[in-house]
Amino acid sequence: KVIHEYKGPELILTPHEGCLPIRFGMSKEQIVEILGKPDQYLGKHCLDYTSTIGLSLLVHSRKGLLALDCWHQDEESDEGHLCGSSFVGKFANGITIGSTRQELEKAFGKTSGDENSAIFSLFYPTQSVAFILKEGKVIHISMDNVKR
C-alpha cells in the first residue's frame, strides 16, 4: 500500500460550510487551486481525492461544491475501488474517520441508528452530516449544504 503524505492546508469539516478551507459553493477551479489536481475526475461533477486524502467532492458547474464524502482507506468507493487513504481532516471537535459512536454522541448528541447491524448509519439532520459506522467506528462521513 502506498502511503501519501498530505502537505496541503489543514482540512476542518464544518457543518453548512464545507471542509475548510474548501467551502460549499466553490468552483472546481477554486478547489483545485487549494487541494491540487485530483487523483481523478469522475464524470463531470466529481473530484476524487480518495487515493491521496480520502475525500471526494460533488461539484456542480453552476452551483459549485454541493456535497462531500470522507472515506476510510479500506472502504470501497462509489466507483468500486479501494480508497487507499483515510480522510486526513477532522471536525473542530476532533471527530474523524475511526472515531467511536460514544465520541460521536458526546460531540453531536444522541441520534437513532440500527443497533443490530455491524454496519449502520447515524444521521444528524440539523447538521446535514451522516456517519457510517462499522464495528463501532466511523468509516465514512457525508456532508452537504442542504438546510433541514
Side-chain angles (χ1 to χ4, degrees):
K1 182 179 282 197
V2 177
I3 303 297
H4 300 276
E5 191 172 322
Y6 175 66
K7 294 181 172 71
E10 184 177 19
L11 301 175
I12 303 295
L13 292 168
T14 307
H16 304 296
E17 291 187 42
C19 183
L20 305 181
I22 306 302
R23 293 184 176 279
F24 288 118
M26 277 187 164
S27 69
K28 281 183 190 176
E29 295 75 21
Q30 290 171 311
I31 294 167
V32 170
E33 191 173 308
I34 294 168
L35 293 180
K37 186 175 179 255
D39 306 330
Q40 61 183 333
Y41 292 91
L42 299 171
K44 294 190 322 186
H45 301 294
C46 185
L47 300 178
D48 183 346
Y49 293 91
T50 56
S51 295
T52 53
I53 61 174
L55 181 67
S56 60
L57 305 162
L58 178 64
V59 186
H60 187 272
S61 56
R62 286 190 327 275
K63 297 177 183 177
L65 178 62
L66 299 176
L68 58 88
D69 289 285
C70 308
W71 305 83
H72 182 278
Q73 66 185 11
D74 297 326
E75 190 180 1
E76 197 172 283
S77 74
D78 294 334
E79 289 68 44
H81 66 273
L82 287 180
C83 292
S85 178
S86 288
F87 177 59
V88 297
K90 61 185 176 187
F91 285 91
N93 59 22
I95 297 299
T96 191
I97 299 298
S99 294
T100 65
R101 178 170 189 167
Q102 292 75 23
E103 292 167 332
L104 271 181
E105 289 182 346
K106 184 177 180 187
F108 289 96
K110 289 196 179 285
T111 191
S112 60
D114 182 2
E115 304 288 337
N116 301 319
S117 177
I119 298 177
F120 63 93
S121 298
L122 295 175
F123 183 53
Y124 292 86
T126 60
Q127 305 284 334
S128 296
V129 178
F131 298 91
I132 297 175
L133 287 82
K134 181 178 181 181
E135 297 168 0
K137 295 197 175 195
V138 175
I139 62 165
H140 190 104
I141 303 166
S142 295
M143 192 163 67
D144 63 34
N145 195 24
V146 177
K147 303 278 191 224
R148 292 176 172 85

